[in-house]
Amino acid sequence: MTEVQLHTLEELDQFVSGAGKRLLFKHSTICPISTTAYEEFQAFLSEQQLPAAVILVREDRPVSNAVEERFAIKHESPQIFLLEDGQVKWHTSHWKITKDAIREAVQG
């Protein structure tokens, strides 16, 4: 399954308010660590059917900032969130974003 990109606060609200589990990935397109984490995220999605979205932190900064404000979780990049029914159930950042870590969080 491929992810959608969130460019507006309305798109963020719609994605977050969805039922069930979903993944939200904050990505910096100029950071090599973020590129590696994004590849892990995409590898996970290639094997799983789970709604997923990406926020490009430099290009869509207001949306990225809204995630930090909404969930009261300090911004990092790269950063991934497992949401369930609109609430953060798990999150991590940087080198801890791996296909296996995502799988464990989703299954847990």
Side-chain angles (χ1 to χ4, degrees):
M1 176 172 260
T2 60
E3 74 278 358
V4 298
Q5 283 190 12
L6 305 179
H7 300 290
T8 67
L9 296 177
E10 292 77 21
E11 290 171 342
L12 175 64
D13 290 341
Q14 184 177 15
F15 182 79
V16 168
S17 67
K21 292 181 181 178
R22 50 197 50 230
L23 292 169
L24 179 61
F25 186 86
K26 292 172 74 173
H27 180 39
S28 172
T29 55
I30 63 168
C31 172
I33 297 170
S34 193
T35 298
T36 299
Y38 184 65
E39 290 168 355
E40 291 285 320
F41 171 67
Q42 288 186 311
F44 172 81
L45 291 179
S46 73
E47 299 174 357
Q48 301 290 320
Q49 294 297 314
L50 193 67
V54 172
I55 298 169
L56 301 179
V57 298
R58 292 176 51 89
E59 294 83 345
D60 296 308
R61 190 166 307 278
V63 181
S64 176
N65 291 344
V67 171
E68 180 178 24
E69 294 166 12
R70 176 181 294 221
F71 298 117
I73 296 172
K74 180 181 177 249
H75 165 77
E76 297 190 63
S77 175
Q79 189 171 34
I80 191 167
F81 302 85
L82 173 63
L83 306 173
E84 188 167 3
D85 301 325
Q87 301 297 314
V88 175
K89 297 298 180 186
W90 171 81
H91 67 95
T92 196
S93 67
H94 293 86
W95 295 113
K96 294 178 183 174
I97 300 172
T98 65
K99 182 173 81 169
D100 291 340
I102 299 166
R103 183 184 308 107
E104 286 178 28
V106 168
Q107 291 175 350

